């Protein structure tokens, strides 16, 4: 048995008792190459996990800095909208008690601004229209009936509108 070594580290030529030569990876270098490949893959995975974790951490920081003021703003708007809704509901329930004040105020406000811009006669006309619209809103309009009519398909609106 003779063994012939060449400069190539991955293959060696061996002579067997029958005298034939074969080329195959050396049994001594194969486990070393597999270990090196595993180390390379492990280090690559570790590096990619670290990069991804760093990116996710920075993304989380950015989203926290952006979402914190937005959430505070939303909570403020919710609080103010709730208060405004309660006030509107309260005013709707007591609207008949303060009806004359609402009608007079809207008549004078709209009519006065129009009179300053356009003259006395247009101011009187628009004031009268604004007062009449306010009267309808205070004494004739029932929001529960309007909501019911919307749900039923606009068939029972107040003032006879939408009736067939």
């Amino acid at each position: 048995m003779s063994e012939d070594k060449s400069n190539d580290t991955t293959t060696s030529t061996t002579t067997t008792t029958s005298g034939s030569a074969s080329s195959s990876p050396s049994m001594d270098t194969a486990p070393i190459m597999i270990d090196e490949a595993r180390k390379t893959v492990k280090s690559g995975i570790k590096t990619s996990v670290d990069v991804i974790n760093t990116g996710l951490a920075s993304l989380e920081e950015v989203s926290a800095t952006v979402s914190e003021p937005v959430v505070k703003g939303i909570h403020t708007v919710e609080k103010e909208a709730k208060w405004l809704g309660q006030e509107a509901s309260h005013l709707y329930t007591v609207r008949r008690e303060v009806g004359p004040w609402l009608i007079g105020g809207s008549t004078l406000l709209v009519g006065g601004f129009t009179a300053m811009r356009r003259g006395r006669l247009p101011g009187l006309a628009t004031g009268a229209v604004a007062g009449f619209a306010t009267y309808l809103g205070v004494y004739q309009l029932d929001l529960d009936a309007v909501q019911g009519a919307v749900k039923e398909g606009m068939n029972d609106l107040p003032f006879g509108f939408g009736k067939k």
Side-chain angles (χ1 to χ4, degrees):
M1 268 195 219
S2 69
E3 189 170 325
D4 185 24
K5 291 186 179 180
S6 66
N7 289 338
D8 188 14
T9 59
T10 59
T11 59
S12 66
T13 306
T14 57
T15 307
T16 60
T17 54
S18 64
S20 65
S22 68
S23 174
S24 65
S26 173
M27 293 299 192
D28 295 335
T29 59
I32 295 172
M33 290 174 33
I34 291 173
D35 288 341
E36 289 177 9
R38 282 184 183 162
K39 288 178 183 177
T40 305
V41 170
K42 279 185 179 181
S43 68
I45 290 172
K46 285 181 182 179
T47 304
S48 63
V49 166
D50 289 341
V51 168
I52 290 172
N53 284 341
T54 304
L56 289 174
S58 65
L59 181 66
E60 186 177 359
E61 288 175 8
V62 167
S63 67
T65 58
V66 169
S67 66
E68 186 176 322
V70 171
V71 168
K72 283 183 181 178
I74 288 173
H75 287 304
T76 303
V77 168
E78 285 176 351
K79 189 171 98 175
E80 292 297 321
K82 183 178 178 182
W83 175 81
L84 186 62
Q86 289 172 346
E87 286 295 314
S89 176
H90 175 70
L91 286 176
Y92 180 74
T93 57
V94 298
R95 73 188 190 280
R96 294 183 185 197
E97 297 171 11
V98 294
W101 292 101
L102 292 172
I103 295 168
S106 66
T107 301
L108 289 176
L109 186 70
V110 173
F113 281 135
T114 306
M116 286 189 284
R117 284 290 280 165
R118 305 282 180 180
R120 281 185 273 167
L121 191 56
L124 181 66
T126 56
V129 170
F132 179 70
T134 306
Y135 169 81
L136 289 178
V138 169
Y139 294 112
Q140 299 297 320
L141 184 64
D142 187 15
L143 289 182
D144 295 329
V146 172
Q147 287 177 349
V150 169
K151 289 179 183 176
E152 294 175 10
M154 305 292 284
N155 290 330
D156 293 322
L157 283 177
F159 321 123
F161 295 117
K163 290 187 179 179
K164 293 181 179 180

